[in-house]
Amino acid sequence: MNAIKYIQEKGIKQTFHVIYQYKLDIVIQKVLGVFLKNKPLKDIIVIESHNDFDSNGGAFYEYLIDHHYNDTYKIVWLIKHKESLEKTLPKNVDYVMQFVPSFKKNYYKWVAKWFTSDNDSSKKLRKDQTSIYFGHGGFGLKNCKGLMTIPASVDYVAMPSHPLSDIFSDQFMLQPDDPRLCYIGFPYVDNFYSDAKGDLSKVIQHTFKKVILWMPTFRKGGGYDRQDCDRVGELGIPLIRTMEEYNQLNVLLQKEDILLILKIHPKQDLNELKIKDMSNIRILTGETVKALGIDNYRLMKDCDALISDYSSAAYDFLQVNKPIAYDFSDVNDYKLGLVVEDPSEYMAGHFIKNFEDLSTFIKDVEENNDVYYAERQELRKKIFDYYDGNNCKRAVELLGITK
């Protein structure tokens, strides 16, 4: 596409945004390449994650630090948000801003031996470098085909299980027998098997009889001018139609002594969010999650049940083996569609389409009525090959990172 047509379609602001974040880096890369392309690679591991220090990249990083790999290797983070750097980094750990043109960043890209990515998979610059795409979530029902691009230079693509190979490879637009597919499991799963304390105490101090986590995927947001659902909802969330229903939900939760944590997707556009914290409802956004230092999977460990929809959260939660509900209240308005024709084959929990269904699920959780326990055990076998907390170990061994 020529420059004039691109400006006409995207506007000057978006055009400048693309030039600043991507095009200037290409110029810097070419300049540095003259001096670095034949230099020996260094023991440097470059990590990118979904929202900085989280998801698979975050879990892999924690494993490296916990096992003192930073005594031998330099670890470099590709950071998206400056506020992520309020934490003190361990020795031999550095960072560069991912979307800011930088000589330092491109120096690391030329000389690092290993690259891991969850979301934005950078093309490696040399054939003797090694890269792995972890992805930023497990299996989900929403169709993301064409939204995730894996560069041809990527050496490995992490997979959760053999039964899902056809679906996953199709979503990534790869062949099912692509030799890069590696069945090592996802690093984030190890959080569920860690002895580390969960993150519920970062949200509340008061004790409730039960805690339910609600994690809807985004309907609007996630990128430039992107909207995956034709309607976002009057309150900026799915399922709950009015403030009256929202208040009724809080009353029900009060009656059952249940806390509902509504975690908004970090990519969701918050301009239309009309709800606020209530006595038995806590709202977490991408900003509050960062401020409190909350990890999705450590929070899941402490919760008694989950409400999700088409996203991977419903399948991540299978690792804790507790009740799940699937919100399909806006499935007919969801523009991306689903990865399978019959989603019921990949569901083992309450099917929610309205407030009454939600109320039934809440009451079942309060009464310890785990209706779909048997079905959940069968679904777990489809989604994950491993339930041992050793996925990071398998990744390290695959990449040849030794002490």
Side-chain angles (χ1 to χ4, degrees):
M1 180 182 292
N2 63 54
I4 294 176
K5 186 175 181 181
Y6 188 89
I7 293 173
Q8 289 175 339
E9 290 186 0
K10 302 296 185 180
I12 294 176
K13 183 177 179 180
Q14 176 65 8
T15 302
F16 176 79
H17 178 78
V18 170
I19 292 173
Y20 179 74
Q21 287 195 344
Y22 301 103
K23 301 301 183 181
L24 288 180
D25 259 340
I26 294 175
V27 175
I28 294 173
Q29 280 178 14
K30 289 182 178 180
V31 171
L32 288 179
V34 174
F35 306 97
L36 299 174
K37 62 183 179 181
N38 295 316
K39 294 289 185 182
L41 294 178
K42 297 180 180 295
D43 287 334
I44 297 174
I45 306 167
V46 178
I47 300 176
E48 180 269 347
S49 74
H50 187 230
N51 200 29
D52 298 340
F53 297 97
D54 68 342
S55 196
N56 282 309
F60 186 67
Y61 166 72
E62 293 293 341
Y63 177 87
L64 295 175
I65 298 301
D66 289 345
H67 291 80
H68 305 288
Y69 281 89
N70 58 317
D71 291 344
T72 308
Y73 299 93
K74 188 177 189 68
I75 301 172
V76 178
W77 268 98
L78 293 176
I79 297 296
K80 298 178 176 68
H81 312 287
K82 288 184 178 179
E83 55 269 25
S84 300
L85 299 169
E86 294 178 358
K87 61 170 66 181
T88 301
L89 298 177
K91 71 173 185 177
N92 235 5
V93 177
D94 198 0
Y95 76 91
V96 289
M97 299 305 298
Q98 184 170 9
F99 298 118
V100 175
S102 162
F103 279 88
K104 183 180 179 181
K105 173 180 64 179
N106 286 289
Y107 167 78
Y108 285 136
K109 285 189 174 183
W110 273 112
V111 301
K113 283 185 181 178
W114 298 278
F115 296 84
T116 81
S117 60
D118 288 8
N119 199 54
D120 299 295
S121 185
S122 301
K123 180 180 179 181
K124 68 180 187 179
L125 302 181
R126 296 167 57 166
K127 291 183 179 180
D128 50 348
Q129 295 172 319
T130 302
S131 65
I132 184 168
Y133 180 74
F134 285 136
H136 63 264
F139 170 73
L141 286 175
K142 65 180 181 180
N143 181 14
C144 295
K145 189 173 182 178
L147 298 177
M148 301 173 290
T149 303
I150 299 177
S153 62
V154 166
D155 298 287
Y156 301 106
V157 180
M159 298 286 285
S161 73
H162 286 80
L164 290 179
S165 61
D166 286 347
I167 292 176
F168 256 83
S169 56
D170 179 65
Q171 288 293 294
F172 292 147
M173 293 184 289
L174 304 174
Q175 294 300 316
D177 58 351
D178 192 311
R180 297 179 297 167
L181 303 181
C182 54
Y183 298 87
I184 58 173
F186 294 133
Y188 75 81
V189 169
D190 292 0
N191 280 292
F192 297 120
Y193 299 90
S194 168
D195 293 331
K197 185 179 179 182
D199 279 358
L200 182 60
S201 61
K202 296 178 180 179
V203 181
I204 56 161
Q205 300 300 319
H206 177 66
T207 300
F208 291 84
K209 184 175 180 180
K210 299 285 184 180
V211 178
I212 298 175
L213 178 61
W214 185 3
M215 297 178 66
T217 191
F218 68 83
R219 268 69 179 170
K220 181 180 180 181
Y224 179 72
D225 200 25
R226 175 176 167 183
Q227 184 166 338
D228 293 350
C229 194
D230 285 330
R231 62 185 173 95
V232 179
E234 183 179 324
L235 305 182
I237 59 172
L239 189 63
I240 307 300
R241 297 170 295 179
T242 64
M243 280 304 302
E244 182 181 2
E245 275 195 350
Y246 188 65
N247 290 323
Q248 288 177 2
L249 174 61
N250 189 62
V251 169
L252 172 62
L253 294 165
Q254 277 183 317
K255 179 182 177 183
E256 306 294 350
D257 191 25
I258 291 176
L259 174 70
L260 176 67
I261 299 175
L262 177 49
K263 184 184 178 300
I264 306 298
H265 194 285
K267 298 292 186 180
Q268 175 68 32
D269 184 349
L270 299 180
N271 290 327
E272 298 176 43
L273 190 66
K274 302 296 190 298
I275 55 176
K276 60 182 180 180
D277 286 351
M278 304 283 279
S279 64
N280 288 61
I281 302 175
R282 294 288 183 276
I283 300 169
L284 296 177
T285 65
E287 291 183 358
T288 54
V289 163
K290 279 290 178 193
L292 296 172
I294 293 172
D295 177 89
N296 283 354
Y297 311 110
R298 290 197 297 267
L299 183 58
M300 286 182 182
K301 283 171 59 174
D302 286 352
C303 295
D304 300 289
L306 177 87
I307 303 169
S308 188
D309 40 45
Y310 329 113
S311 80
S312 60
Y315 300 90
D316 300 334
F317 202 69
L318 287 170
Q319 290 282 347
V320 300
N321 201 13
K322 295 175 183 177
I324 300 169
Y326 306 85
D327 168 24
F328 270 57
S329 58
D330 61 357
V331 67
N332 293 328
D333 299 298
Y334 196 65
K335 296 190 290 185
L336 295 185
L338 306 181
V339 297
V340 291
E341 291 186 8
D342 183 7
S344 65
E345 295 181 11
Y346 292 89
M347 297 169 65
H350 288 63
F351 185 79
I352 294 178
K353 296 197 72 171
N354 52 48
F355 187 83
E356 290 71 26
D357 295 337
L358 175 62
S359 300
T360 299
F361 176 67
I362 291 172
K363 291 175 182 176
D364 277 345
V365 171
E366 190 277 331
E367 295 171 359
N368 294 317
N369 187 19
D370 194 354
V371 183
Y372 294 91
Y373 177 84
E375 290 91 335
R376 198 166 63 243
Q377 307 318 305
E378 292 304 311
L379 181 60
R380 290 176 53 152
K381 297 175 185 176
K382 289 183 181 180
I383 305 303
F384 297 104
D385 278 350
Y386 299 105
Y387 292 86
D388 60 4
N390 290 320
N391 294 345
C392 287
K393 181 175 182 291
R394 278 184 281 271
V396 164
E397 292 172 349
L398 176 72
L399 296 173
I401 300 173
T402 65
K403 288 187 179 179

